[in-house]
Amino acid sequence: LCLCALSVEPNSIRFARFTAAELEELTPQLINASKVLALKPHSAAALENYNLFSRTYKSFVDMLQTAMDDLTDSTDLLITYEELLRDDLVSCENQASARQIAALMRDAKTFIAHGSRVCSFLLADLQFYGLHGNAVDKITSEIGAIQERFLTQFSAAAKETCRRIKANEAVPINLIHHAGETVMDRFQDLRETLEVLFGQRRTTLDSTRTSAPSDDFSRRGDGDLASTTSL
């Protein structure tokens, strides 16, 4: 929870740390419940006990994810996930070279999950700030393209590689590499656009603390950046 040290929101910090502490306490209990269920798979009591801890654990994980989202800056998240995606892509290429189908599909799913997670977070962030305008429309369109086109193309590349491995054909490593790099290039372009958008947004908000709102600002008070951002 290193992000807590960078945040200035005390309530969010307390909630995140409380939730993390609860998860730490629940973890050994969930493990024990799963062991009991493994030893007594036909026990209704063991199953009920496991389900209780499992549901509670999942609930706290969801709460912690929400709390960390509140503490996370969009551009910082993108920088972190770009590194994760890079590692995922390297793993996929290594598994393809080793002709390991199961491991390749596992790592490809991880790559796609990380990419989808970023897209969901960014869309929620834009909605939270209530931003509008041409720049936001462009960002939303780019996120949609990543979700619906480029991640799908990466999945197809991984499946095609697995098909060729099964058929004992040559493995096209460059196919996965190109599809993965395309996704990462899109995220990098998106990060640069967001840095401009949110940087300008923060500048506008900061200026209101030191000067009275002008007529021009009052027209943009709802977060419409169409007149201030041209991308």
Side-chain angles (χ1 to χ4, degrees), residues 123-201:
L123 289 173
D125 215 26
L126 291 174
Q127 183 178 9
F128 174 79
Y129 283 106
L131 302 178
H132 306 283
N134 294 334
V136 177
D137 291 342
K138 179 182 177 181
I139 291 172
T140 303
S141 177
E142 290 176 352
I143 293 173
I146 292 173
Q147 289 178 309
E148 299 170 10
R149 179 181 174 188
F150 297 106
L151 287 176
T152 300
Q153 289 178 351
F154 179 83
S155 176
K159 290 178 180 178
E160 173 61 16
T161 301
C162 290
R163 185 196 67 78
R164 296 196 182 191
I165 293 175
K166 287 182 179 179
N168 202 27
E169 299 176 2
V171 178
I173 306 298
N174 62 321
L175 185 64
I176 290 180
H177 178 79
H178 176 71
E181 287 290 343
T182 301
V183 172
M184 296 182 63
D185 288 344
R186 290 286 173 167
F187 276 125
Q188 184 174 355
D189 293 342
L190 195 58
R191 174 164 56 85
E192 293 172 357
T193 305
L194 283 167
E195 286 173 349
V196 174
L197 176 65
F198 282 104
Q200 190 160 11
R201 174 69 172 175

Side-chain angles (χ1 to χ4, degrees), residues 39-221:
L39 293 173
K40 301 178 179 180
H42 302 295
S43 170
L47 178 60
E48 181 180 357
N49 188 55
Y50 170 79
N51 287 337
L52 174 63
F53 280 108
S54 180
R55 287 193 301 268
T56 304
Y57 191 88
K58 183 180 183 303
S59 176
F60 275 106
V61 168
D62 291 340
M63 290 166 60
L64 182 60
Q65 178 174 302
T66 300
M68 296 310 296
D69 284 351
D70 292 339
L71 295 170
T72 304
D73 179 82
S74 295
T75 53
D76 290 340
L77 181 87
L78 273 170
I79 291 173
T80 300
Y81 269 81
E82 283 172 11
E83 296 178 1
L84 291 175
L85 288 169
R86 173 68 62 188
D87 292 341
D88 294 339
L89 181 57
V90 170
S91 295
C92 288
E93 293 173 358
N94 290 339
Q95 301 300 348
S97 297
R99 306 180 73 86
Q100 298 295 317
I101 294 177
L104 170 57
M105 290 308 300
R106 178 200 64 208
D107 292 342
K109 289 179 180 179
T110 301
F111 181 94
I112 293 169
H114 282 153
S116 298
R117 166 72 179 131
V118 176
C119 291
S120 297
F121 177 89
L122 294 178
L123 289 173
D125 215 26
L126 291 174
Q127 183 178 9
F128 174 79
Y129 283 106
L131 302 178
H132 306 283
N134 294 334
V136 177
D137 291 342
K138 179 182 177 181
I139 291 172
T140 303
S141 177
E142 290 176 352
I143 293 173
I146 292 173
Q147 289 178 309
E148 299 170 10
R149 179 181 174 188
F150 297 106
L151 287 176
T152 300
Q153 289 178 351
F154 179 83
S155 176
K159 290 178 180 178
E160 173 61 16
T161 301
C162 290
R163 185 196 67 78
R164 296 196 182 191
I165 293 175
K166 287 182 179 179
N168 202 27
E169 299 176 2
V171 178
I173 306 298
N174 62 321
L175 185 64
I176 290 180
H177 178 79
H178 176 71
E181 287 290 343
T182 301
V183 172
M184 296 182 63
D185 288 344
R186 290 286 173 167
F187 276 125
Q188 184 174 355
D189 293 342
L190 195 58
R191 174 164 56 85
E192 293 172 357
T193 305
L194 283 167
E195 286 173 349
V196 174
L197 176 65
F198 282 104
Q200 190 160 11
R201 174 69 172 175
R202 284 192 290 269
T203 300
T204 302
L205 292 176
D206 290 342
S207 67
T208 65
R209 299 190 182 101
T210 56
S211 61
S214 63
D215 292 340
D216 183 51
F217 177 77
S218 65
R219 287 196 296 271
R220 297 196 302 270

